[in-house]
Structures are given as structure tokens and as C-alpha cells.
Amino acid sequence: MKYNGIITLIESSPLGIEGIQWALVITSSLVLFFLSPLAKNTNQFFMAKHRKKAPNAFMLMGSLVISWIFAKSITNAANLGLAFGLVGGVAYAAYYASFAVAGIVIYKMRTKGNYTSIHQFLTTKFGKSAVAVFSILIAFRLFNEVWSNTMVIGSYFGAIGTSSYYWSILVFTALTLSYVLKGGMSSSIFTDVIQMGLFSVLIVVILGAIFNSDASFTTSKVISSGTWSFEMGLNLLFAALLQSLSYPFHDPVLTDRGFISSPKVTLKSFLWATLIGAICIILFSIIGVYAQYSGLKGQAAVEVGKAFGVVILLVINFIMITSAASTLDSTFSSFSKLLSIDLNLGNTLKFGRGSMVAIAVLGTIPVFLDAEILSATTISGTMVIGLTPVFIFWHKKAAALSFHLSVFAGVIFGFLLIFKIFPQQLIFTTGKYADLLWINFWGILSCVTLYFIPTWIKK
């Protein structure tokens, strides 16, 4: 059937566009539910062990990539492509250096330090107080992941405050929860691979439609779009690289996958995820580049979808559904592991599943609150820069106080960024994200210095 015929078929469907979107959400979730493995023991539920085998490099890589290509991130990638051209996409893709940093550090921690988890490392080196602070940080991170992704899904069904907006969020969250309750981490990683495959196909469909629709829009236009200057994206690029030294370690969705398979398999999967993840983000940013080229304004992905009609709009919507589901199921499984295994509150299937229900409910409540309240609850990448010396210099001797000095200094710099009270004399570039770059630069320098001060004093 020709493309125009598909459009006619969809437009004449008794379901309508919103009805088809509902069908996509419900059908895809039910398929994943029936395909998901049933966890019968805690090894399967928390560690994704199946027949005593851990996930291979391909499965682990796919799970890492799609877990980080969440609805909010691909929306940001498209918008940065609109704002800065290809430079914006490359700048945002720089965050995927986090995989390489985490992969190498975790590999060394496992092979040289014989650590079996992040929490074991922190307990051994810095004591229980450090574990408590760290657990609060990552619990907030997981809490934020729930509402920040489901709100993106809701926006495709209706305006904030409408019944369709709220119902789509509630139904989507419940359906995603249902299949991850079935298998825990096993379900999460298994469905991630399927979702990664879907994402790959859908992005090819979108880019194919874009390049075929306008002969004047070529790869050379994409490559030459934007300006490689601090004002036009490089501020963000360098800020992302700096944050990549700490950002991955406050994300249990990423670090949990660092201790499931053998060290060599894990390292290989993390390094491949760096490359594949960055490529995916850059490809999605091309949607924004096209929006810039076509003079479109607003949310890049939405506007391009509207410009191409219902088929591409539905494809873009389905990408959002797929990416949000993968992040949400990983969030549920990581929160469950945090409470059950890392904090040793109850290593049972019943407790693990109960934890998932709890974070699903608690993480959905903010959806019904004011948007300004939500932004105040978000832990930014800047707030966790204090983790930089903790993990980058994991093998160096440090006092328990070192952890707290560095982490709390990072939180202070995060607040300086939020409230925009950082001295302008210390910001040496101009343009958007200049404050982000230099606050992170000076912040990391301060955190590293504070981290080593107790050790220097002892000498």
C-alpha cells in the first residue's frame, strides 16, 4: 500500500489518531508482558540470571543504550538540533561518554578491588553514613525518572490538566509496571533489547521520510548546520564531558548493569554502548536540524511530526512510548534492587515486587503537582559532581570525611547553578550553557581539592 493510502486509512479509522495511540500503548505493553520471562527466584529477579547465565554483551549493550535514550532525552536531542544544528546533537551525545567512564571504572573496581557492587565499595571505604547519603541521592534520581518520562507520554495525549493527559500517564505506568513485576531485572533487560530494535527501525523510518521528502535537504546540509563555537553548542559539549566523570555513578539503572555479567563482557558492552548511544542521539537530533532548515518553531519532534502528517507523527509518538517504557521498567527494577539487595531490607520476590509498586505510586504523584514544584525536586547533573573524585580516584586512599566534603560541595554548586548566583567573573565564555560549563569546571576542581584535603592533613 502506498504512503498516501496509509494516511487515508488512518484518518478514516473509527479509532482516530488518539485511539491509535492508545492502541499502540496497550498493544505494545501486552506483547512485552507475554514475552517477558517470569522470575522464579531472586537471582533472576534482581540479577537477570537465566539458567545460571548472565546477559551477554549484546543484550547488555542494548539494555544500556535504550535505558538512556528515554523520552525526555530524545526530545532534548531534537530541540538542541533545532537550536544549534548538528553541534547541538553532538553536544548532547557527549553525555554518552558516561558509559565509557563507568565501564572502565567499574571494570577496575571489580578486577583490582574485587568489589561486587557500588554500595559494597562505599561501605568498605567510607562507611555507612556515605552509603546513606548516596542512597538518598539515587533514590531521588529514580523518583524523578518516573514522572519526568511519563509526563512526556502524557503530553502526546493531551494538554497538561486534561483527563486524557492524566489517564494516559496512569495507564502507561500501570502497563509498564505489570510486565516488569513479572520478571524484575530479567524482564527489564529482555524487553530493552526488543525496544532497542524497535527504536532502530523507527528512527530509520523517520529519517528516510525526512530525506526523501526534500531533495535539497542532504547529509552535507546536516553536517554543515550550526557553528562550532561556545555560543552555539560547545558550552554544552564540554559541560557534558565534565559531568560524564560523575553523572553515571548516581544512575543505578546504569551501574546495576555493571555488576551483572563478567568484567570483560561488561566492559565490552559499556564501550559499545558509548558509541551506539551517541550515534542514536545524533541521528535523532537530525529531526531538529530538519526543523531548523524548514523554519519550524516549538518542540522539534512534534512539529516535524505534524509537518509530515499522521503516519510520521504516530511513528515519533511510538518512539517516545518505546523509550519511556524502557527507562521506566529499568527504574522500577533498579529501585527494587536498591532496597532489597544494596540496602539489604528484604531479599525476597515479595519485597522486590512491593518496592516496584511503591516507586510507581510515589513517582506518579508529582504528575498532579505544579510544574515549578517538580523542577525544585530534580537533582541536576551538577549536584552530583562531588562523586567525581569518589569514583575516578576510587583506588586512592581517602578518609570517610573526604566523601562528605566532596559530595556536599557538589550539591552547593548545583544550587549556585539553579539560583544563578555564581560570580560572572569566573565564567569565561558567553552564550547559552556558559554558566553550566564553568560552574561544573570550578565545582569539580573544588570537589577534588576538598576530597584530598583530609588525606593531605594526615600526612
Side-chain angles (χ1 to χ4, degrees):
M1 184 180 291
K2 292 183 179 180
Y3 181 77
N4 289 336
I6 298 174
I7 294 176
T8 304
L9 183 65
I10 291 173
E11 289 179 337
S12 61
S13 169
L15 291 174
I17 295 176
E18 186 175 331
I20 293 173
Q21 288 184 169
W22 275 106
L24 287 174
V25 169
I26 295 169
T27 304
S28 61
S29 298
L30 289 176
V31 168
L32 292 177
F33 176 82
F34 287 112
L35 291 178
S36 292
L38 174 64
K40 297 179 180 179
N41 56 57
T42 53
N43 264 342
Q44 292 173 347
F45 194 82
F46 296 116
M47 301 301 290
K49 303 278 187 187
H50 185 63
R51 294 176 182 172
K52 297 183 179 180
K53 290 183 178 179
N56 59 35
F58 174 78
M59 291 184 70
L60 209 54
M61 180 273 292
S63 180
L64 283 165
V65 172
I66 196 64
S67 294
W68 259 40
I69 302 179
F70 41 93
K72 197 174 179 181
S73 70
I74 56 180
T75 300
N76 289 342
N79 288 340
L80 285 165
L82 171 60
F84 302 121
L86 184 64
V87 188
V90 173
Y92 201 62
Y95 276 105
Y96 284 77
S98 296
F99 285 130
V101 172
I104 293 168
V105 170
I106 289 173
Y107 176 79
K108 294 291 185 183
M109 288 175 69
R110 292 180 65 183
T111 56
K112 304 293 184 184
N114 295 317
Y115 293 112
T116 57
S117 70
I118 295 293
H119 280 72
Q120 186 206 5
F121 159 69
L122 292 173
T123 304
T124 304
K125 191 164 184 177
F126 302 108
K128 291 183 178 179
S129 61
V131 172
V133 171
F134 181 75
S135 297
I136 290 169
L137 283 175
I138 63 175
F140 264 106
R141 158 83 183 190
L142 293 170
F143 167 77
N144 290 331
E145 287 290 353
V146 178
W147 60 259
S148 64
N149 277 279
T150 56
M151 284 179 72
V152 174
I153 295 300
S155 67
Y156 280 84
F157 284 84
I160 295 175
T162 62
S163 59
S164 56
Y165 171 83
Y166 291 123
W167 274 113
S168 63
I169 289 174
L170 293 173
V171 171
F172 176 75
T173 304
L175 288 171
T176 305
L177 177 64
S178 67
Y179 74 73
V180 78
L181 279 173
K182 187 179 176 184
M185 186 70 78
S186 293
S187 285
S188 179
I189 290 180
F190 177 78
T191 55
D192 281 348
V193 176
I194 297 173
Q195 288 157 336
M196 183 65 202
L198 273 173
F199 177 88
S200 302
V201 171
L202 295 173
I203 191 66
V204 168
V205 171
I206 294 170
L207 293 179
I210 286 174
F211 283 106
N212 288 328
S213 69
D214 188 344
S216 64
F217 185 72
T218 61
T219 52
S220 61
K221 293 284 187 187
V222 173
I223 293 169
S224 61
S225 64
T227 305
W228 292 87
S229 65
F230 281 98
E231 294 81 1
M232 296 302 292
L234 290 186
N235 281 323
L236 178 61
L237 190 153
F238 288 114
L241 291 175
L242 286 174
Q243 287 190 350
S244 294
L245 299 174
S246 57
Y247 195 84
F249 300 107
H250 93 298
D251 183 6
V253 169
L254 186 153
T255 55
D256 282 350
R257 284 155 175 75
F259 294 90
I260 293 174
S261 301
S262 71
K264 284 187 177 180
V265 166
T266 301
L267 179 60
K268 186 188 295 184
S269 65
F270 271 68
L271 293 178
W272 273 110
T274 305
L275 178 63
I276 302 300
I279 289 172
C280 288
I281 286 296
I282 292 169
L283 288 177
F284 205 86
S285 73
I286 293 175
I287 294 173
V289 175
Y290 177 79
Q292 181 192 71
Y293 179 78
S294 303
L296 300 176
K297 304 291 182 184
Q299 293 288 320
V302 175
E303 296 307 316
V304 170
K306 289 178 180 177
F308 277 87
V310 292
V311 175
I312 296 303
L313 183 60
L314 285 172
V315 171
I316 290 174
N317 289 1
F318 196 37
I319 276 191
M320 295 297 177
I321 292 166
T322 300
S323 57
S326 68
T327 304
L328 206 56
D329 66 46
S330 297
T331 299
F332 293 153
S333 60
S334 288
F335 184 79
S336 177
K337 179 178 175 290
L338 170 66
L339 297 189
S340 302
I341 305 296
D342 298 329
L343 297 180
N344 198 29
L345 297 180
N347 187 3
T348 65
L349 292 176
K350 184 178 180 181
F351 186 84
R353 287 177 171 134
S355 303
M356 289 183 178
V357 174
I359 190 63
V361 173
L362 291 173
T364 302
I365 291 172
V367 167
F368 299 91
L369 303 178
D370 184 75
E372 289 184 8
I373 296 174
L374 297 184
S375 63
T377 68
T378 303
I379 290 182
S380 69
T382 302
M383 283 189 174
V384 295
I385 56 175
L387 295 175
T388 300
V390 173
F391 290 99
I392 298 300
F393 303 111
W394 69 271
H395 56 294
K396 299 285 187 182
K397 285 186 178 180
L401 180 61
S402 297
F403 175 90
H404 296 286
L405 287 174
S406 182
V407 168
F408 283 106
V411 172
I412 290 170
F413 275 92
F415 280 115
L416 291 178
L417 177 65
I418 290 172
F419 295 110
K420 299 186 182 301
I421 52 176
F422 192 74
Q424 289 296 311
Q425 297 89 335
L426 296 177
I427 298 176
F428 298 114
T429 57
T430 57
K432 195 171 184 181
Y433 303 114
D435 55 346
L436 178 69
L437 169 60
W438 290 102
I439 289 175
N440 276 269
F441 174 80
W442 294 114
I444 290 173
L445 195 62
S446 301
C447 290
V448 172
T449 303
L450 287 168
Y451 182 79
F452 284 112
I453 281 177
T455 307
W456 294 335
I457 291 173
K458 282 186 178 180
K459 287 182 178 180

